[in-house]
Amino acid sequence: RAPGAPVSEDFVVHRHEPASFLGRAQDWLLEAEAEYGLILGIAADLASGSSVYDRVYLATVEAAGEVVGCVFRTPPFKLGLTRMPIEALPAVVEDVADRFDRLPAVLGPESEASRFADLWAGRRGVEVREGMRQRISRLDVVEPPARPASGSMRPAGPGDAELALRWLRAFESEAGVGPADPEQQVAAYLRDRELFLWQCGEVVSMAAATGATPHGIRIAYVYTPPEQRGRGYASSLVAELSQSQLDAGRRFCFLYTDRANPTSNEIYRRIGYRPVCDVVDLEFV
């Protein structure tokens, strides 16, 4: 324990409804908006009634009346942690265990996620296995591809629902992550006009702009079918989609990438995405 750091008994975990969570935690989260864009976007969607998730867990971790961290979960998915004092993790585990009997995994900064995983494994008698290591990157200025792909971007419409569902399931199969209900997610994307396609004769790539924060938006579910890869479609789509979001008033875009996938990381770097921080998945088996 660092000199002067509070002991574990000094940390309190408060659960919130979405609106009260934002009222309590938003200012703290905005100090690292791109890093905490996922939780900000989820909470905002929940507060507006547009989220596809229910039974969500949103909590602030507090010491001496001040927010020092946040915890969230959209069942059936993993638990998410922000940065927080390591000494707070016993209190977090206690509250999460009161709410959930099981967790598939925890996602967060390595120190916090590792400490939580050790405590959870000891409490529930499970083993911990390292999952995906991810990088959060942020774009403030688009760097257009040197050789733009043929074709153009367009918003997805109702007639694209079947294709979008098929590709979303393919993305989930390849990446190991995806929505709990792909059909519901596609319907929400189409309703909110958050899904975009690259058309080159036929549709050859897709991406979503979703989970808006006060100043940014997340780019997600970037997918090109294997037979269309290597032609720059995803690069051009993500560049144009990111630029359209900046043109609409967003200050930045952000996204998550698999650190073990150098191809996608290089694509985003060339467009203008720069690393913000790394997070790790630790799975419970």
Side-chain angles (χ1 to χ4, degrees):
R1 183 166 66 91
V7 297
S8 60
E9 290 80 5
D10 294 332
F11 294 99
V12 181
V13 179
H14 294 289
R15 299 182 200 174
H16 300 269
E17 294 300 316
S20 68
F21 174 80
L22 287 173
R24 182 63 178 150
Q26 180 166 279
D27 287 348
W28 186 85
L29 292 167
L30 287 176
E31 294 176 7
E33 188 173 352
E35 179 176 350
Y36 299 145
L38 181 61
I39 185 173
L40 281 164
I42 289 172
D45 285 348
L46 286 162
S48 70
S50 62
S51 175
V52 299
Y53 300 109
D54 57 12
R55 299 181 295 111
V56 173
Y57 176 88
L58 294 169
T60 53
V61 183
E62 304 188 19
E66 299 292 332
V67 175
V68 297
C70 294
V71 191
F72 64 102
R73 187 184 180 208
T74 51
F77 296 113
K78 67 195 79 171
L79 188 81
L81 303 173
T82 67
R83 284 181 280 120
M84 66 182 69
I86 295 299
E87 294 83 5
L89 270 303
V92 172
V93 169
E94 188 72 24
D95 195 71
V96 172
D98 183 62
R99 175 70 182 272
F100 302 111
D101 291 330
R102 296 181 181 181
L103 295 174
V106 60
L107 168 69
E110 186 160 8
S111 294
E112 288 83 345
S114 295
R115 178 60 175 154
F116 179 94
D118 288 344
L119 293 169
W120 185 263
R123 188 182 187 100
R124 292 296 194 226
V126 296
E127 294 183 2
V128 180
R129 179 177 62 195
E130 185 175 300
M132 186 184 299
R133 288 181 171 270
Q134 298 183 71
R135 176 159 290 160
I136 303 171
S137 296
R138 167 176 170 153
L139 174 145
D140 295 86
V141 177
V142 174
E143 299 175 12
R147 299 175 62 184
S150 301
S152 59
M153 184 180 77
R154 67 170 176 84
D160 301 304
E162 183 178 344
L163 175 68
L165 178 60
R166 187 166 69 250
W167 282 5
L168 189 60
R169 286 174 170 157
F171 176 95
E172 180 178 13
S173 177
E174 288 189 21
V177 294
D181 188 332
E183 291 186 10
Q184 189 178 25
Q185 186 67 75
V186 168
Y189 279 158
L190 296 178
R191 179 196 67 214
D192 298 334
R193 298 181 66 82
E194 294 181 338
L195 190 65
F196 296 83
L197 306 172
W198 192 262
Q199 185 101 29
C200 183
E202 60 182 325
V203 178
V204 293
S205 191
M206 79 170 185
T210 188
T213 69
H215 307 108
I217 196 163
R218 179 166 54 96
I219 305 300
Y221 296 120
V222 180
Y223 182 78
T224 303
E227 65 273 13
Q228 300 290 0
R229 294 175 188 173
R231 304 177 189 181
Y233 295 135
S235 296
S236 291
L237 174 57
V238 173
E240 189 162 332
L241 179 55
S242 301
Q243 186 63 59
S244 72
Q245 296 300 316
L246 298 180
D247 292 344
R250 302 288 175 194
R251 295 182 189 173
F252 64 91
C253 302
F254 65 97
L255 48 72
Y256 283 69
T257 58
D258 180 357
R259 288 172 57 192
N261 188 336
T263 301
S264 63
N265 283 284
E266 179 62 16
I267 286 172
Y268 299 132
R269 186 195 66 78
R270 289 178 179 175
I271 294 169
Y273 281 89
R274 299 293 180 259
V276 172
C277 66
D278 293 343
V279 291
V280 63
D281 277 332
L282 296 174
E283 301 171 351
F284 301 118
V285 295

